[in-house]
Amino acid sequence: MQVDEPVLLPRLSRVAVCGGTHGNELSGVYLVREMLKTEKRKEDGEPASVLMVLSNPRAMQQCSRYVDTDLNRCFTHATLNGPVSEGAPYEIFRARELNALLGPKGSRAAVDLICDLHNTTANMGLSFIAYSDCDWICLHIFRYLQMPDTPMRFIHFDVSTKESYSLDSIGKHGFAMEIGPQPHGCVKSNIYTAMKEGVQHMQDWVRCFNSGCVFDGGPVDVFTMVKNLDYPRDGETRSITAAIHPRLQDRDFCLLHPGEPLFQAFSGETIKYKGNEPLYAFFINECAYYEKGIALSLARKKRVTVPSIRVQTDEEERASEQSFASEEEE
Amino acid sequence: MQRTSVPPIYNVTICGGTHGNELTGVYIVREMQKQKMEKAGSVSVTTVETNPRAVAAGRRYTEMDLNRCFTDVLLSSPITESTPYEVRRAQELNAQLGPKGSAKAVDLLIDLHNTTSNMGLCFIFYSIDWITLHIYKYIENNLNSVPVRAIQLDIPSSEAYSLESVGKHGFAIEVGPQPCGVLRADIFNVVKEALDLTLQWLQKFSSGHSFEGGTVDAYTFVKSVDYPRDSAGKATAIIHQDLQDNDFKLLRSGDPIFQTFSGDILKYEGEDLYPFFVNECAYYEKKIAFHLAQKKTYSFPHISVKND
């Protein structure tokens, strides 16, 4: 096989866009609601090309992140398939419903692509969050999306399929589209517009891909999560005793060097970063992470070379199955 | 100019956590308690975390907005089994820091709040009170890191619904933008500085210092504007990007105020007014997209403390 031939990938027949996985992350809630309304108005009876889902309606109703437990941590194989009692958290039941609708996770019936919409209080611009750094579909969508007014980054959580816990892991391909800064329970027009454009461009890309376009390869900078840092806390009460330092606040994706300011104690003292290596900070001061013991996350950056890709035609699929079968015979 | 002598301020109470997810006040109060900040010169200082249940839950309130529970009616309403937690708590606070309107009430009550709106630092008060205006002026002259403004709510004391109305003198310090549930160090520093300046002023005042009169431009609440809604009551638009973060920038007829989800722009029609609390997240449920105010100039006299 020639090196510069595009990689052939199966068609993306079923795509899902999910909002309200966290009920108070409102850009996705309003965007999916609006897209559902627009869909209802279609008169030509064309089947929906994209499945729109409001993931956590009960949390949305009370405008809170979740009702009993964080829905976006309920999608591990163990949680989806293990035993569940009647008194189990609402979100565990809802996760199973979503797995039946969009999955089952790991099976051939799962949707081809999930885009899960999120907001963050951190100054992260538009970030893709994915479990793989070599899912060419997600990386190509990211390359295609580049919007002039919105900084964009690709974040990789190096978590195995077995341990992957978020909604987007149900699809054969999936990523979270995380946009900030926006307070939870609030909608800001620039953030809403960025998300709307992002989803629109993604749909355009999918249409193009399915119709046979070749997408040229190239480099993508990927931030791979290394670790989280918690706030300094009072030994007895566990109450935080410092806030993110003003020199780090809002500087997501800056390179944090050992010795640089990290926290400001309430007494006024500066607490410095004591790590061994410079790392890129992100999710700096995400409101929902206080209870998870995360003040910020740290990542290494690397350059991934994404190959050119094209959709695999039915013929090519048949040809490859035949050659596979004859290889097996030999 | 007129010289006025004013009764002494013997004590000041600083309150935080009236809304449990407005974190600056929570942590300022906790830090002051840790540092045992009990005196500023001759003035005694008390600190109170006013809605501990809401703070523990990380929510604005548990059953009802505590900062709407201080009207005379709610403070005197009989407590039954079905009385919301916050109404009970308001009556407890009124017993501790009031009673509102009586000689026993604390001399000065300062309530710390945050907003998601881009309002810088605002003093919010009901009555045109010389102590409040002098402290405001002192902070306005000495605090340079953020814009400082005064907001007046023209409501008679009996109907005044928020915590600071319990003190003989009182005002809220409202600082934003800060998301609910988030603590920003820069905002914490601003509020700390404002409180340090307040305590400084109180010490000077108590030791006989005379303060020059002057004028204050205050924004007086006129009305609120809600989001456009559909027949099911759901908002059909969001604050327009030209209005977003432009609190206190004069709004004129024809200026964009909302953009609908379908992309249309809705414009303001009415007299020239100043918007504030633009896109305050806690106000979505109160059906308020933003407030509108007139700007008025108030003069205040030279003051010094009255000697017995």
Side-chain angles (χ1 to χ4, degrees), chain A residues 4-311:
Chain A
D4 52 6
E5 280 286 307
V7 170
L8 304 181
L9 295 169
R11 201 180 155 71
L12 301 170
S13 311
R14 293 170 68 225
V15 174
V17 173
C18 304
T21 300
H22 294 134
N24 56 3
E25 292 175 20
L26 295 190
S27 303
V29 170
Y30 282 104
L31 182 60
V32 168
R33 267 197 196 142
E34 189 61 21
M35 289 167 83
L36 283 166
K37 242 194 246 169
T38 321
E39 217 181 52
K40 278 204 185 96
R41 281 191 242 119
K42 270 209 188 115
E43 284 160 11
D44 53 12
E46 202 189 277
S49 53
V50 176
L51 195 60
M52 313 286 177
V53 182
L54 288 169
S55 322
N56 196 341
R58 273 206 215 170
M60 278 167 46
Q61 223 239 331
Q62 59 187 45
C63 199
S64 59
R65 181 176 175 86
Y66 55 80
V67 174
D68 295 325
T69 191
D70 191 338
L71 176 61
N72 215 28
R73 301 292 182 274
C74 290
F75 294 94
T76 59
H77 278 295
T79 311
L80 289 173
N81 302 303
V84 63
S85 66
E86 249 181 57
Y90 161 72
E91 276 85 5
I92 300 230
F93 291 108
R94 185 59 185 150
R96 288 167 179 232
E97 274 176 13
L98 290 163
N99 190 40
L101 176 69
L102 305 173
K105 176 170 170 171
S107 78
R108 294 192 61 166
V111 297
D112 297 298
L113 175 65
I114 293 182
C115 171
D116 190 24
L117 304 174
H118 286 267
N119 290 119
T120 173
T121 56
N123 187 26
M124 282 168 64
L126 194 156
S127 295
F128 271 40
I129 305 178
Y131 288 109
S132 166
D133 58 0
C134 53
D135 181 328
W136 309 138
I137 296 286
C138 295
L139 284 158
H140 266 281
I141 295 173
F142 177 80
R143 273 170 64 82
Y144 183 79
L145 237 65
Q146 299 301 314
M147 298 190 285
D149 298 324
T150 309
M152 281 187 55
R153 283 104 178 180
F154 194 98
I155 299 170
H156 165 226
F157 275 50
D158 196 3
V159 171
S160 68
T161 316
K162 182 161 173 265
E163 306 293 324
S164 60
Y165 48 76
S166 50
L167 172 54
D168 50 282
S169 68
I170 291 186
K172 295 196 187 79
H173 304 273
F175 61 93
M177 186 186 289
E178 181 91 51
I179 312 193
Q182 182 173 272
H184 297 316
C186 210
V187 196
K188 292 181 72 164
S189 53
N190 61 332
I191 303 284
Y192 178 83
T193 302
M195 192 177 267
K196 188 171 176 184
E197 275 180 27
V199 170
Q200 186 60 60
H201 289 330
M202 181 195 70
Q203 290 178 265
D204 293 343
W205 186 91
V206 169
R207 233 171 273 127
C208 241
F209 172 78
N210 285 342
S211 70
C213 292
V214 175
F215 289 94
D216 288 334
V220 174
D221 284 335
V222 168
F223 292 87
T224 299
M225 220 296 251
V226 170
K227 62 183 177 182
N228 298 317
L229 294 182
D230 192 8
Y231 292 96
R233 290 176 187 272
D234 178 280
E236 278 173 39
T237 63
R238 304 303 300 150
S239 180
I240 64 173
T241 55
I244 296 282
H245 196 277
R247 299 235 316 253
L248 182 57
Q249 177 70 49
D250 300 333
R251 291 186 57 232
D252 295 73
F253 302 102
C254 76
L255 187 58
L256 183 64
H257 295 92
E260 284 182 342
L262 182 57
F263 298 115
Q264 183 190 278
F266 301 138
S267 53
E269 181 204 330
T270 294
I271 298 165
K272 298 179 178 172
Y273 170 53
K274 293 189 182 66
N276 296 322
E277 58 174 307
L279 290 170
Y280 292 88
F282 66 103
F283 274 129
I284 299 174
N285 209 346
E286 162 51 51
C287 148
Y289 286 0
Y290 283 47
E291 70 174 20
K292 295 190 200 292
I294 299 169
L296 65 151
S297 300
L298 292 168
R300 281 186 202 107
K301 187 167 71 161
K302 68 178 181 213
R303 187 150 276 199
V304 168
T305 304
V306 178
S308 62
I309 65 170
R310 173 172 64 72
V311 72

Side-chain angles (χ1 to χ4, degrees), chain B residues 53-80:
Chain B
R53 273 202 211 176
V55 172
R59 301 188 70 85
R60 181 177 174 85
Y61 56 82
T62 60
E63 293 173 78
M64 185 176 163
D65 189 336
L66 176 61
N67 216 28
R68 300 292 182 273
C69 291
F70 293 92
T71 60
D72 286 6
V73 167
L74 283 171
L75 285 177
S76 56
S77 66
I79 303 283
T80 67

Side-chain angles (χ1 to χ4, degrees), chain B:
Chain B
M1 191 181 270
Q2 190 194 342
R3 293 187 167 279
T4 306
S5 65
V6 176
I9 304 277
Y10 294 111
N11 54 68
V12 59
T13 301
I14 294 166
C15 299
T18 299
H19 294 134
N21 55 7
E22 292 174 20
L23 296 190
T24 310
V26 173
Y27 288 100
I28 291 253
V29 160
R30 281 186 191 172
E31 185 62 15
M32 289 178 79
Q33 287 171 349
K34 191 168 162 198
Q35 303 294 343
K36 300 207 188 311
M37 273 266 357
E38 285 156 7
K39 271 254 185 245
S42 60
V43 181
S44 73
V45 180
T46 318
T47 50
V48 183
E49 192 173 293
T50 50
N51 196 342
R53 273 202 211 176
V55 172
R59 301 188 70 85
R60 181 177 174 85
Y61 56 82
T62 60
E63 293 173 78
M64 185 176 163
D65 189 336
L66 176 61
N67 216 28
R68 300 292 182 273
C69 291
F70 293 92
T71 60
D72 286 6
V73 167
L74 283 171
L75 285 177
S76 56
S77 66
I79 303 283
T80 67
E81 258 177 42
S82 60
T83 303
Y85 166 73
E86 276 85 6
V87 173
R88 290 172 212 254
R89 184 63 185 141
Q91 294 193 6
E92 266 174 34
L93 290 163
N94 189 45
Q96 182 186 348
L97 306 174
K100 176 177 168 183
S102 78
K104 288 205 231 143
V106 298
D107 291 330
L108 176 59
L109 201 162
I110 301 173
D111 193 21
L112 303 176
H113 285 266
N114 292 119
T115 174
T116 56
S117 306
N118 185 27
M119 284 168 61
L121 188 147
C122 288
F123 264 46
I124 306 181
F125 48 86
Y126 290 101
S127 57
I128 308 303
D129 168 300
W130 305 147
I131 295 282
T132 301
L133 291 186
H134 269 278
I135 295 174
Y136 171 78
K137 204 64 181 173
Y138 191 73
I139 290 179
E140 197 198 29
N141 289 336
N142 290 290
L143 199 145
N144 302 310
S145 42
V146 295
V148 175
R149 297 175 182 101
I151 296 170
Q152 195 237 344
L153 307 173
D154 199 4
I155 301 175
S157 175
S158 58
E159 286 157 42
Y161 47 74
S162 46
L163 171 56
E164 72 275 13
S165 66
V166 170
K168 292 198 190 75
H169 306 273
F171 53 85
I173 294 182
E174 181 93 48
V175 187
Q178 181 171 271
C180 307
V182 165
L183 182 70
R184 288 183 62 108
D186 53 359
I187 303 267
F188 181 94
N189 293 341
V190 162
V191 176
K192 181 159 189 303
E193 200 185 335
L195 287 175
D196 287 345
L197 288 167
T198 301
L199 294 176
Q200 223 178 75
W201 187 92
L202 287 170
Q203 284 179 80
K204 287 186 177 178
F205 173 74
S206 300
S207 60
H209 191 103
S210 171
F211 292 93
E212 268 199 31
T215 60
V216 162
D217 286 337
Y219 294 88
T220 306
F221 172 84
V222 170
K223 63 181 178 183
S224 322
V225 176
D226 188 13
Y227 293 94
R229 291 176 188 275
D230 62 19
S231 49
K234 291 218 158 41
T236 54
I238 56 186
I239 297 283
H240 191 274
Q241 63 191 44
D242 286 4
L243 178 57
Q244 178 67 47
D245 299 333
N246 278 318
D247 299 69
F248 302 107
K249 185 173 165 208
L250 189 64
L251 193 63
R252 305 192 140 104
S253 271
D255 289 344
I257 47 175
F258 296 115
Q259 58 196 61
T260 68
F261 295 117
S262 42
D264 302 317
I265 294 175
L266 304 177
K267 297 180 178 175
Y268 173 63
E269 271 165 51
E271 54 173 312
D272 292 358
L273 289 170
Y274 296 88
F276 65 106
F277 278 125
V278 174
N279 209 349
E280 162 51 54
C281 112
Y283 287 178
Y284 286 25
E285 69 173 21
K286 296 191 201 291
K287 304 202 182 317
I288 297 166
F290 54 94
H291 286 324
L292 288 169
Q294 275 173 349
K295 203 159 43 162
K296 283 190 185 166
T297 304
Y298 296 100
S299 334
F300 53 93
H302 295 334
I303 63 166
S304 55
V305 69
K306 188 187 283 185
N307 287 312
D308 287 329

